[in-house]
Amino acid sequence: MSHVIARTNRPTLVLCHNKTLAAQLVRELRSFLDQNAVELFVSYYDHYTPECFLEATGKYIAKKASVNAEIDSLRHRATRALLERKDVVVVASVSCIYGLGLPAEYLHASIALSVGEQHTVTVDKLIDSLNAMLYTLPDNNNNDDAQDSMLRGNYIISVSETPQGELVDVVTLWPPHEKFPIRIAFHKSRGFIMSIHQSSETGLSSSSMESCRIFPAKHHVTSEDRMEQARLAIEDELKERLQELKSQGKMVELQRLQQRVLNDLLMLKETGFCAGGENYSRHFAGRAEGEPPDTLIDYMKLAGGTESDWLLVVDESHVTLPQLKAM
């Protein structure tokens, strides 16, 4: 497998039938392809129970899901690698055929940062971009221990002073695709980026960077214009569905659906995101009813940021292909 990948020199998707085998393959491929980006992409749910409505009792059971933050980070590392370089090998489970947002929107929303006066990214522009990319400012932003309690997808803002007495705006953020937080210092009066540092594993030291690219905190990121169109489309579909339920005399279901969707629409308007947002992925993408969603495979097509050919390897196909067809 490694020889074929090396000879073809194409972005490669290796499809496996379970997480354990996928993790084992990642370790083995990294030992053979030490110059490539070999990443893991599997389901990030530790536990998942779908929402349901028990018609006999009129009881609604909300979706219960537990997301593994470390696996979510690995998924982000895989998509980041695909959009930054072509020598990428992604070892994935059947999770790769499920909806993953729009790769073009994910790439477009990202922001490139570089040290120096010639670059025009200001602290205000960075914060606006982080909010648009669904990063969150924690409630304890002003506390001294805010950085110690940071989670992936968070950012905090602080002010420090250089040895020369100059004030510096500092934005510390933890992109999901990075192992450790990144600290960006802006010259307070002149606005340019003075330095970019990434924390170490111990947190006692950091490495200096000349540039970096920050990708969204979630894969389902949507531009403001597309979000407005999606909200209108959701409202139209809600009206149709409510009319259908009313004609069938299902008033309990009607009330529950109306309450849930209106609450989701409010969250989308206020924050740009809502729990269970994948239920509306068709509207976010502007797809027609029945049209398949964008998946990891669509990210493979954009490897390196441009349209490209890619290689598919199906490991243990006698097990993987039947599983894939069953999905």
Side-chain angles (χ1 to χ4, degrees), residues 130 134-141 146-157 171-176 181-182 214 217:
L130 291 176
L134 304 179
Y135 284 81
T136 56
L137 185 70
D139 294 335
N140 65 341
N141 173 64
Q147 188 164 336
D148 295 332
S149 59
M150 277 189 77
L151 301 174
R152 286 187 173 94
N154 285 167
Y155 73 92
I156 59 176
I157 307 166
V171 178
T172 305
L173 64 141
W174 195 351
I182 294 175
I214 306 299

Side-chain angles (χ1 to χ4, degrees), residues 31-146:
S31 67
F32 289 109
L33 303 168
D34 56 349
Q35 300 300 312
N36 294 61
V38 182
E39 305 293 351
L40 179 67
F41 189 96
V42 296
S43 172
Y44 55 19
Y45 288 115
D46 285 333
H47 168 77
Y48 183 89
T49 302
E51 63 182 350
C52 66
F53 177 75
L54 304 179
E55 189 172 357
T57 61
K59 183 179 180 181
Y60 168 77
I61 301 176
K63 180 180 76 173
K64 295 180 181 179
S66 173
V67 173
N68 187 308
E70 291 300 321
I71 296 180
D72 185 35
S73 175
L74 294 176
R75 288 162 62 97
H76 278 276
R77 287 181 61 183
T79 51
R80 185 273 300 270
L82 282 170
L83 296 179
E84 286 192 330
R85 51 196 294 184
K86 287 186 176 292
D87 59 339
V88 181
V89 181
V90 180
V91 182
S93 66
V94 292
S95 180
C96 70
I97 68 171
Y98 288 88
L100 195 64
L102 297 172
E105 289 282 336
Y106 185 78
L107 177 60
H108 179 72
S110 67
I111 182 170
L113 303 174
S114 299
V115 175
E117 295 187 52
Q118 69 274 23
H119 302 286
T120 57
V121 177
T122 63
V123 64
D124 290 336
K125 181 178 179 180
L126 175 59
I127 292 171
D128 288 343
S129 296
L130 291 176
N131 291 330
M133 291 191 291
L134 304 179
Y135 284 81
T136 56
L137 185 70
D139 294 335
N140 65 341
N141 173 64
N142 296 320
N143 297 348
D144 294 336
D145 63 344

Side-chain angles (χ1 to χ4, degrees), residues 204-266:
L204 300 177
S205 61
S206 62
S207 57
S208 177
M209 307 165 67
E210 286 300 314
S211 63
C212 66
R213 179 174 286 275
I214 306 299
F215 284 88
K218 301 181 186 296
H219 284 108
H220 292 276
V221 64
T222 307
S223 66
E224 189 173 335
D225 291 341
R226 188 183 289 272
M227 179 63 74
E228 179 60 28
Q229 294 171 4
R231 288 201 299 267
L232 294 174
I234 293 169
E235 290 175 357
D236 290 341
E237 184 179 0
L238 175 62
K239 292 176 183 177
E240 294 176 7
R241 184 62 177 152
L242 292 180
Q243 188 62 39
E244 179 183 342
L245 292 172
K246 185 176 181 180
S247 66
Q248 297 172 359
K250 297 183 176 181
M251 303 309 295
V252 176
E253 290 89 336
L254 182 152
Q255 183 180 11
R256 172 59 201 165
L257 180 66
Q258 186 176 39
Q259 178 186 10
R260 167 67 187 273
V261 176
L262 290 179
N263 183 65
D264 288 345
L265 285 170
L266 179 61

